[in-house]
Amino acid sequence: QVQLVESGGGLVQAGGSLRLSCAASGSSGSIFSINTMGWYRQAPGKQRELVADITRRGSTNYADSVKGRFTISRDNAKITVYLQMNSLEPEDTAVYYCNVHTYVAGFWGQGTQVTVSS
């Protein structure tokens, strides 16, 4: 099992920035088998969608809507993934969920609310 603790959400004006963090913990076997870490988001009335993810080796993948504005990174020693969000838009308002994959299972965080006011 892997437990995920997210932080960093909040209310920000359009054009502002936020940084999300997600720290993973659990059994050593699970932790050391984490490969991809990422962030998804779900806006009211919409399906959950991938925002960005990053592999253990640092390969990244972004949704087209956030390319050039968001940056995902990870600290493998701290087993933490970050999402730096710049130039935020009202359309970025959603609950943001951390997601990690081991070789056998995927795990979700509880979610953190990001609200961007116009």
Side-chain angles (χ1 to χ4, degrees):
Q1 287 291 325
V2 175
Q3 292 78 45
L4 302 172
V5 177
E6 300 146 330
S7 62
L11 173 64
V12 65
Q13 288 188 331
S17 299
L18 285 173
R19 188 191 193 210
L20 305 182
S21 300
C22 172
S25 62
S27 65
S28 58
S30 295
I31 291 299
F32 289 121
S33 70
I34 289 176
N35 183 13
T36 302
M37 305 181 78
W39 292 93
Y40 287 70
R41 68 186 181 187
Q42 188 166 19
K46 294 187 177 181
Q47 290 188 331
R48 192 172 297 188
E49 63 176 1
L50 173 70
V51 176
D53 60 24
I54 182 169
T55 67
R56 183 195 296 266
R57 293 187 177 184
S59 296
T60 58
N61 178 43
Y62 292 93
D64 287 343
S65 59
V66 307
K67 284 180 180 177
R69 300 188 298 123
F70 292 9
T71 303
I72 191 169
S73 61
R74 65 189 281 173
D75 184 329
N76 288 328
K78 295 181 179 180
I79 319 170
T80 299
V81 62
Y82 306 96
L83 185 68
Q84 178 65 44
M85 304 185 293
N86 297 329
S87 302
L88 282 160
E89 304 168 352
E91 292 74 24
D92 296 315
T93 295
V95 178
Y96 284 69
Y97 295 92
C98 179
N99 173 267
V100 303
H101 281 271
T102 67
Y103 294 121
V104 296
F107 300 89
W108 292 95
Q110 292 297 309
T112 184
Q113 177 70 45
V114 171
T115 302
V116 184
S117 63
S118 57

